[in-house]
Coordinates of all heavy atoms in Angstrom, one line a residue:
A444 N -65.0 10.3 -14.6 CA -64.2 9.1 -14.9 C -62.8 9.2 -14.2 O -62.3 8.2 -13.7 CB -64.0 9.0 -16.4
L445 N -62.2 10.4 -14.2 CA -60.9 10.5 -13.6 C -61.0 10.4 -12.1 O -60.1 9.9 -11.4 CB -60.2 11.8 -14.0 CG -59.7 11.8 -15.5 CD1 -59.2 13.2 -15.8 CD2 -58.7 10.7 -15.7
R446 N -62.0 10.9 -11.5 CA -62.2 10.7 -10.0 C -62.3 9.2 -9.7 O -61.7 8.7 -8.7 CB -63.5 11.4 -9.6 CG -63.4 12.9 -9.5 CD -64.7 13.6 -9.0 NE -64.9 13.2 -7.6 CZ -66.0 13.5 -7.0 NH1 -67.0 14.2 -7.6 NH2 -66.2 13.2 -5.7
A447 N -63.1 8.5 -10.5 CA -63.2 7.0 -10.3 C -61.9 6.3 -10.4 O -61.6 5.4 -9.7 CB -64.3 6.5 -11.3
E448 N -61.1 6.7 -11.4 CA -59.8 6.1 -11.7 C -58.8 6.4 -10.5 O -58.1 5.5 -10.1 CB -59.2 6.6 -13.0 CG -59.9 6.0 -14.2 CD -59.6 4.5 -14.4 OE1 -58.5 4.1 -14.2 OE2 -60.6 3.9 -14.8
A449 N -58.8 7.6 -10.0 CA -58.0 8.0 -8.9 C -58.3 7.1 -7.7 O -57.5 6.7 -6.9 CB -58.1 9.5 -8.6
K450 N -59.6 7.0 -7.4 CA -60.1 6.2 -6.3 C -59.7 4.7 -6.4 O -59.2 4.1 -5.5 CB -61.6 6.3 -6.1 CG -62.2 5.5 -5.0 CD -63.7 5.7 -4.8 CE -64.2 4.9 -3.6 NZ -65.7 5.1 -3.4
A451 N -59.9 4.2 -7.6 CA -59.5 2.8 -7.9 C -58.0 2.5 -7.7 O -57.6 1.4 -7.2 CB -60.0 2.3 -9.3
A452 N -57.2 3.5 -8.1 CA -55.8 3.3 -8.0 C -55.2 3.8 -6.7 O -54.1 3.5 -6.3 CB -55.1 4.1 -9.1
G453 N -56.0 4.6 -5.9 CA -55.5 5.1 -4.6 C -54.4 6.1 -4.8 O -53.4 6.1 -4.0
V454 N -54.5 7.0 -5.8 CA -53.5 8.0 -6.1 C -54.0 9.4 -6.1 O -55.2 9.6 -6.2 CB -52.8 7.7 -7.5 CG1 -52.2 6.3 -7.5 CG2 -53.8 7.9 -8.6
W455 N -53.1 10.4 -5.9 CA -53.5 11.8 -6.0 C -53.5 12.2 -7.5 O -52.7 11.6 -8.3 CB -52.5 12.6 -5.3 CG -52.6 12.5 -3.8 CD1 -51.9 11.7 -3.0 CD2 -53.5 13.3 -3.0 NE1 -52.3 11.9 -1.7 CE2 -53.3 12.9 -1.6 CE3 -54.4 14.4 -3.2 CZ2 -53.9 13.5 -0.6 CZ3 -55.0 14.9 -2.2 CH2 -54.8 14.5 -0.8
L456 N -54.4 13.1 -7.9 CA -54.5 13.5 -9.3 C -54.8 15.0 -9.3 O -55.7 15.5 -8.7 CB -55.7 12.7 -9.9 CG -56.1 13.2 -11.3 CD1 -55.1 13.0 -12.4 CD2 -57.4 12.5 -11.7
L457 N -54.0 15.7 -10.1 CA -54.3 17.1 -10.5 C -54.9 17.0 -11.9 O -54.2 16.7 -12.9 CB -53.1 18.0 -10.5 CG -53.5 19.4 -10.9 CD1 -54.0 20.2 -9.7 CD2 -52.3 20.1 -11.6
I458 N -56.2 17.3 -12.1 CA -56.7 17.5 -13.4 C -56.4 19.0 -13.7 O -57.0 19.9 -13.2 CB -58.3 17.3 -13.4 CG1 -58.6 15.9 -12.9 CG2 -58.8 17.5 -14.8 CD1 -60.1 15.6 -12.8
G459 N -55.5 19.2 -14.6 CA -54.9 20.5 -14.9 C -56.0 21.6 -15.0 O -56.0 22.6 -14.4
S460 N -57.0 21.3 -15.9 CA -58.2 22.1 -15.9 C -59.2 21.4 -16.9 O -58.8 20.6 -17.7 CB -58.0 23.6 -16.3 OG -57.9 23.7 -17.7
L461 N -60.4 21.8 -16.7 CA -61.5 21.4 -17.6 C -62.3 22.6 -18.0 O -62.5 23.5 -17.2 CB -62.5 20.4 -16.9 CG -61.9 19.1 -16.3 CD1 -62.9 18.4 -15.5 CD2 -61.4 18.2 -17.5
G462 N -62.7 22.7 -19.3 CA -63.6 23.7 -19.7 C -65.0 23.2 -19.3 O -65.4 22.1 -19.6
L463 N -65.7 24.1 -18.5 CA -67.0 23.7 -18.0 C -68.0 24.8 -18.2 O -67.7 26.0 -18.1 CB -66.9 23.4 -16.5 CG -66.0 22.3 -16.1 CD1 -65.7 22.3 -14.5 CD2 -66.5 20.9 -16.5
K464 N -69.3 24.4 -18.4 CA -70.4 25.3 -18.4 C -70.6 25.9 -17.0 O -70.4 25.2 -16.0 CB -71.6 24.7 -19.0 CG -71.6 24.4 -20.5 CD -72.9 23.8 -21.0 CE -72.9 23.6 -22.5 NZ -74.1 23.0 -23.0
T465 N -71.1 27.1 -17.0 CA -71.4 27.7 -15.7 C -72.8 28.1 -15.4 O -73.2 28.4 -14.3 CB -70.5 29.0 -15.5 OG1 -70.9 29.9 -16.5 CG2 -69.0 28.6 -15.7
G466 N -73.6 28.2 -16.4 CA -75.0 28.7 -16.3 C -75.0 30.3 -16.2 O -76.1 30.8 -16.0
D467 N -73.9 30.9 -16.4 CA -73.9 32.4 -16.5 C -74.8 32.9 -17.6 O -74.8 32.3 -18.7 CB -72.5 32.9 -16.6 CG -71.7 32.8 -15.3 OD1 -72.2 32.2 -14.4 OD2 -70.5 33.2 -15.3

């Protein structure tokens, strides 16, 4: 969603971090 919003607005975005699964 944030990638789509950045594209729609034409701005740079730092997503500070996301907790993500890794498959480890």
Side-chain angles (χ1 to χ4, degrees):
L445 287 175
R446 288 181 64 187
E448 288 289 321
K450 181 178 181 179
V454 300
W455 287 92
L456 168 66
L457 179 86
I458 303 174
S460 83
L461 300 173
L463 297 170
K464 289 182 175 178
T465 63
D467 287 0

